C-alpha cells in the first residue's frame, strides 16, 4: 500500500445542514454533489473531503459510529497568528462552536479549534516551522 491519503470522509447527520455550513457560510466549493447524499470538496492536490450521509455510511460500513467526540482533528494551517484568529472568527460567524480559542502553544505555534455542525473538530494553526515546497512535500 502506498503512503497516500485520497479521501477524508465525515459521516454527517444532515447533508443539507453540512452543505449550508461548508459551502454557503465558509464559502467552499463543491467538486461533485449528489443532493442529500454526499458532497465532495476538492482540498489539496489529490485530496477530497467527503460529507456523506451518516446513515448511508453506517449501512456500508456495517458499524454504528460513536455519538461522542471523535478522536480525530482536521487541521487547517495558515501563515500567521492573525490568520488563525480570522479563520476562527469566520467559523464562529458561520455557526461553528469555537470550543478552544487560539492560544500560544508549547510546541511554538498558535492554534485554536472549532467544531462543525456534527462536532468534527478543526484545528486552525500557525506553525512557524511548517513549510510546503512546490512538489507538495511538507517540512515540520
Amino acid at each position: 500500500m502506498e503512503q497516500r491519503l485520497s479521501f477524508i470522509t465525515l459521516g454527517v447527520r444532515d447533508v443539507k445542514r453540512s452543505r449550508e455550513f461548508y459551502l454557503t457560510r465558509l464559502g467552499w466549493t463543491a467538486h461533485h454533489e449528489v443532493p442529500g447524499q454526499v458532497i465532495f470538496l476538492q482540498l489539496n492536490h489529490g485530496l477530497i473531503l467527503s460529507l456523506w450521509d451518516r446513515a448511508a455510511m453506517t449501512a456500508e460500513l456495517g458499524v454504528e459510529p460513536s455519538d461522542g467526540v471523535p478522536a480525530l482533528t482536521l487541521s487547517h494551517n495558515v501563515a500567521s497568528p492573525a490568520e488563525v484568529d480570522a479563520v476562527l472568527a469566520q467559523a464562529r460567524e458561520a455557526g461553528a462552536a469555537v470550543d478552544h480559542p487560539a492560544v500560544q502553544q508549547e510546541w511554538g505555534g498558535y492554534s485554536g479549534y472549532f467544531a462543525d455542525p456534527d462536532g468534527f473538530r478543526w484545528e486552525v494553526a500557525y506553525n512557524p516551522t511548517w513549510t510546503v515546497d512546490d512538489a507538495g512535500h511538507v517540512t515540520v
Side-chain angles (χ1 to χ4, degrees), residues 6-135:
S6 305
F7 270 77
I8 297 170
T9 301
L10 306 179
V12 299
R13 289 180 180 85
D14 184 335
V15 174
K16 184 178 177 182
R17 179 182 69 182
S18 290
R19 184 184 204 291
E20 171 72 18
F21 179 75
Y22 284 97
L23 278 65
T24 303
R25 295 183 181 185
L26 291 183
W28 291 17
T29 303
H31 173 71
H32 179 73
E33 183 173 0
V34 179
Q37 295 179 29
V38 67
I39 302 168
F40 298 119
L41 305 162
Q42 176 74 52
L43 300 182
N44 306 352
H45 176 80
L47 181 60
I48 294 285
L49 176 65
S50 172
L51 306 172
W52 189 17
D53 176 74
R54 186 178 170 125
M57 184 182 205
T58 299
E60 185 169 307
L61 290 173
V63 177
E64 183 68 37
S66 166
D67 281 333
V69 175
L72 157 92
T73 61
L74 303 166
S75 295
H76 179 78
N77 282 40
V78 295
S80 71
E83 286 183 69
V84 171
D85 293 335
V87 171
L88 288 173
Q90 180 187 15
R92 181 181 284 114
E93 290 171 17
V98 178
D99 297 336
H100 189 277
V103 296
Q104 186 67 41
Q105 300 292 349
E106 290 181 23
W107 47 265
Y110 180 77
S111 68
Y113 294 83
F114 72 85
D116 79 356
D118 283 278
F120 291 104
R121 281 6 188 226
W122 283 84
E123 175 191 32
V124 183
Y126 163 68
N127 183 335
T129 66
W130 174 272
T131 61
V132 182
D133 68 19
D134 291 340

